[in-house]
Amino acid sequence: MTRHAVVIAGGGPTGLMLAAELALAGVDVAIVERRVSQDLIGSRAGGLHARTIEVLDQRGIADRFLSQGKLFQVVHFHVPLDISDFPTRHNYVLGLWQNHIERILAEWVGKLAVTIYRGREVTGFAQDNTGVDVELSDGALLRAEYLVGCDGGRSLVRKAAGIEFPGWDATTSWLIAEAEMTEEPAWGSRNDALGTHGIGRLENGGRVRVVLTERQIGSAKEPTLHDVSEALIAVYGTDYGIHSPTWISGFTDMTRHAAAYRDRRVLLAGDAAHVHPPMGGQGLNIGVQDAVNLGWKLAQVVKQTSPQSLLDTYHAERHPVAARVLRHTMARVALRGTDDRSKALGDIVSELLGMDEPRRQLAAEISGLGIHYDLGEGHPLLGRRMPDLDLVTANGPLRLFTLLHDARPLLLNLGEPGDLDIAPWADRVRQIDARHAGTWELPVLGPVAAPTAVLIRPDGYVAWVGDSTRPGLADALTTWFGPPTCGAMGSMLSSQNYSEGAERCTLQDS
C-alpha cells in the first residue's frame, strides 16, 4: 500500500490547482487521472474570468496564461456587460481554451512535488477515523489521510460517499462538435424556433466549432457525426460537408448541486460538487476557486496546525457561491427561450442591464470579483478579495499579490512599523510593514476607508481588518491559522489575548 497525505481523484483544472496548493504548503499529494497524458480531446471550456486570473496572479503564474489568450473586457448575461471600469488589474475575460489551460497548469504542477498516477481511476474507497483506503482500476491500493473528488459531474467519489446531488433535470440539450467542413458555413449565431445555434472558427483556422440546439433532449448514447449532420441540415438546410471530427459531445441544462462538500475525510470540488450548462463559462472558474479555498485549509489540517473543523468553512463559503452560479445559468437558459414571453422577458432584462448599478452588480458576480464570504460584521473588506495594492516596503516597491506567491497567510501592517507583534503565529503567518498611497476601491462598493492593518488568507480573502489596538486579531489568527505557539506566548501585547492564549496552551498540555 502506497501512502499519501491527500489523494485527488481527477487531474482536470480543479484537481491540478488543488494539487499545486497542497504542494506549495509542503503536503504529500497525489493525483489519480484516467488519461495517460494531459492531452485533452476537444477544446472544451473557453475562458478565465477576472477573479480566476487574479488567483493565478496571486501564485505568480498569470502571465503564462495571458501570453497565450485573448482579452475581452466584457462578461455576458443575455447582453455583453462592460467590466473595463472594474478596480482590478485584470478587468477582462481571457479567451483561452481548456486544453491550453490544463496544459499550462500541468506544466506548473510538474515542477512541484506532486505524484500523478496516470491511466488509472479511483474505483472505490473506504474511510475510517484516521484515513481513507483508495482502490484504483489497476488493483493498486493507496492510503490517504483525505480523499478529494475532482472527478467531474459523474463523480464516483461523490456517489460512493453517499452525498446527495439534488437539482433540476434537463429540459434542453445541445450538440457540440469540432470538425472540418468542405463548404463555407454561415458563420456566427442563429436563432430559430428550436433555440440558439452557432458556427465559429477554431484557433488553427482550418477547423470549425459547431453548437446546435436539439429538437429533443439528447439520448444517453454518445452523439455521432451522423447526428451532427442531421442537426445541421435541420437548422441550416445543409451540413456544409462536415467531416473529420476531432470531438463530438452533447450537453444539457441539467443543474445539480451536492448537498454537502464534505463527508468526514472525503471532500468534493469542481464539477463533482456542482454541474450546470456552460453558459457564461463559469464552471471551470469556480472549480479552480474551490481548489484555492480548500487547499490551504486542508494543508493546515493535515499538518495539524488547525482542527478538522476548519474544513467545515469550505462548504460554508463555497456552497453559496456555486448556488448563485447555478441560479445564473438557469436564468440564462430561460432567457434563451424563443417564444414571445421569453423574448419580452429578455427585453426587460436588457433594459435593466443597460443601467449602471445592475450592470456592476451582476458583472461582479459573474467575474467572481464580487464574492463575499460571511465572516461577520465589520469593515467592508472583511470576507472580500484583497485588492492588489502597489506597496512600498523596506525592500522597495512591490505588488501585494507577489506576497501571496507561496500561498502563506499575510498580516499587512500599514501603520507604524513594529506596531503589531504576532510572534505566536510567526511560524505560519508572514508579517509585512508597508506604505500605500492612494484610494482603496472594491467592485460594486466603490471606495472604502483605508485600514491600518489587514490579515489576508492564502486564497487572497481578508480575515481581519483593524489597527494597532488589535481587537479580534488573536481570535482571527486562531480561527484561520491555528492556536498560538505556546513558547512564544510572552510576546503577546494584549493581556486579554495573553490569558486566552495561555489557557489554550494549558489545555493542550493537559
Side-chain angles (χ1 to χ4, degrees), residues 172-175 186-200 209-215 231-236 336 338:
T172 308
S173 64
W174 293 265
L175 285 173
W187 301 109
S189 61
R190 172 178 296 191
N191 297 306
D192 61 18
L194 291 177
T196 302
H197 321 276
I199 305 176
R209 183 180 175 101
V210 179
V211 181
L212 303 160
T213 306
E214 296 188 275
R215 290 184 180 275
L232 279 166
I233 292 170
V235 174
Y236 296 93
R336 283 173 173 256
T338 57

Side-chain angles (χ1 to χ4, degrees), residues 12-60:
T14 301
L16 289 169
M17 193 72 203
L18 178 58
E21 293 291 292
L22 290 165
L24 287 172
V27 171
D28 174 17
V29 56
I31 295 174
V32 180
E33 169 55 42
R34 60 182 176 81
R35 289 174 289 171
V36 296
S37 73
Q38 202 63 44
D39 294 341
L40 189 67
I41 298 174
S43 48
R44 307 293 174 101
L48 297 174
H49 282 291
R51 180 56 191 157
T52 307
I53 302 169
E54 283 193 339
V55 164
L56 298 171
D57 199 356
Q58 288 171 188
R59 298 298 177 258

Side-chain angles (χ1 to χ4, degrees), residues 1-2 117 120-121 123-124 134-142:
M1 182 184 293
T2 305
Y117 296 96
R120 284 169 272 189
E121 298 179 72
T123 56
V134 184
E135 302 170 8
L136 304 189
S137 54
D138 64 350
L141 191 64
L142 306 178

Side-chain angles (χ1 to χ4, degrees), residues 345-484:
L345 175 62
D347 290 342
I348 297 298
V349 169
S350 297
E351 290 177 13
L352 289 173
L353 293 179
M355 304 175 188
D356 199 48
E357 186 60 28
R359 169 190 68 88
R360 286 175 176 270
Q361 182 68 46
L362 191 54
E365 287 198 42
I366 294 170
S367 66
L369 296 173
I371 290 173
H372 180 206
Y373 298 139
D374 183 7
L375 303 189
E377 300 295 325
H379 192 281
L381 271 171
L382 190 65
R384 298 182 186 272
R385 52 175 277 287
M386 180 67 185
D388 185 21
L389 303 177
D390 287 311
L391 302 174
V392 177
T393 71
N395 295 322
L398 52 76
R399 291 196 294 129
L400 184 137
F401 280 7
T402 63
L403 298 172
L404 297 174
H405 284 184
D406 59 359
R408 286 186 61 195
L410 169 70
L411 179 64
L412 178 65
N413 176 33
L414 298 167
E416 289 300 316
D419 270 359
L420 296 172
D421 182 358
I422 57 167
W425 289 270
D427 59 329
R428 284 155 278 166
V429 182
R430 173 186 295 165
Q431 181 173 345
I432 295 289
D433 295 325
R435 290 282 185 270
H436 170 71
T439 59
W440 291 52
E441 189 173 0
L442 296 176
V444 181
L445 297 183
V448 298
T452 303
V454 183
L455 180 63
I456 306 165
R457 307 187 324 188
D459 57 358
Y461 288 85
V462 175
W464 173 85
V465 183
D467 54 34
S468 59
T469 62
R470 309 195 326 162
L473 176 57
D475 287 339
L477 286 163
T478 301
T479 296
W480 296 110
F481 311 119

Side-chain angles (χ1 to χ4, degrees), residues 173-376:
S173 64
W174 293 265
L175 285 173
I176 186 167
E178 295 178 2
E180 296 180 15
M181 288 180 170
T182 57
E183 304 171 21
E184 185 83 4
W187 301 109
S189 61
R190 172 178 296 191
N191 297 306
D192 61 18
L194 291 177
T196 302
H197 321 276
I199 305 176
R201 288 186 176 90
L202 285 173
E203 55 195 336
N204 59 16
R207 307 185 69 78
V208 300
R209 183 180 175 101
V210 179
V211 181
L212 303 160
T213 306
E214 296 188 275
R215 290 184 180 275
Q216 297 179 330
I217 297 176
S219 66
K221 67 179 180 66
E222 288 295 319
T224 65
L225 182 61
H226 178 71
D227 295 327
V228 177
S229 174
E230 285 192 335
L232 279 166
I233 292 170
V235 174
Y236 296 93
T238 175
D239 67 0
Y240 299 109
I242 190 168
H243 65 95
S244 305
T246 54
W247 179 50
I248 300 174
S249 189
F251 63 93
T252 72
D253 63 340
M254 181 182 71
T255 305
R256 296 193 179 279
H257 198 188
Y261 283 14
R262 177 189 173 207
D263 173 46
R264 294 168 290 163
R265 290 182 173 270
V266 177
L267 299 110
L268 304 175
D271 289 351
H274 38 73
V275 296
H276 54 83
M279 290 79 173
Q282 290 179 269
L284 183 153
N285 287 267
I286 63 172
V288 169
Q289 292 174 43
D290 285 347
V292 175
N293 184 285
L294 174 60
W296 65 275
K297 297 173 181 178
L298 185 53
Q300 289 182 182
V301 172
V302 166
K303 296 166 80 171
Q304 299 184 350
T305 57
S306 292
Q308 288 190 21
S309 58
L310 181 63
L311 296 177
D312 294 334
T313 69
Y314 168 58
H315 172 97
E317 293 180 349
R318 294 304 298 172
H319 195 275
V321 172
R324 290 291 295 178
V325 170
L326 266 58
R327 290 185 63 191
H328 285 172
T329 54
M330 291 172 68
R332 287 171 183 268
V333 173
L335 288 167
R336 283 173 173 256
T338 57
D339 60 283
D340 289 341
R341 289 180 175 83
S342 296
K343 291 177 180 177
L345 175 62
D347 290 342
I348 297 298
V349 169
S350 297
E351 290 177 13
L352 289 173
L353 293 179
M355 304 175 188
D356 199 48
E357 186 60 28
R359 169 190 68 88
R360 286 175 176 270
Q361 182 68 46
L362 191 54
E365 287 198 42
I366 294 170
S367 66
L369 296 173
I371 290 173
H372 180 206
Y373 298 139
D374 183 7
L375 303 189

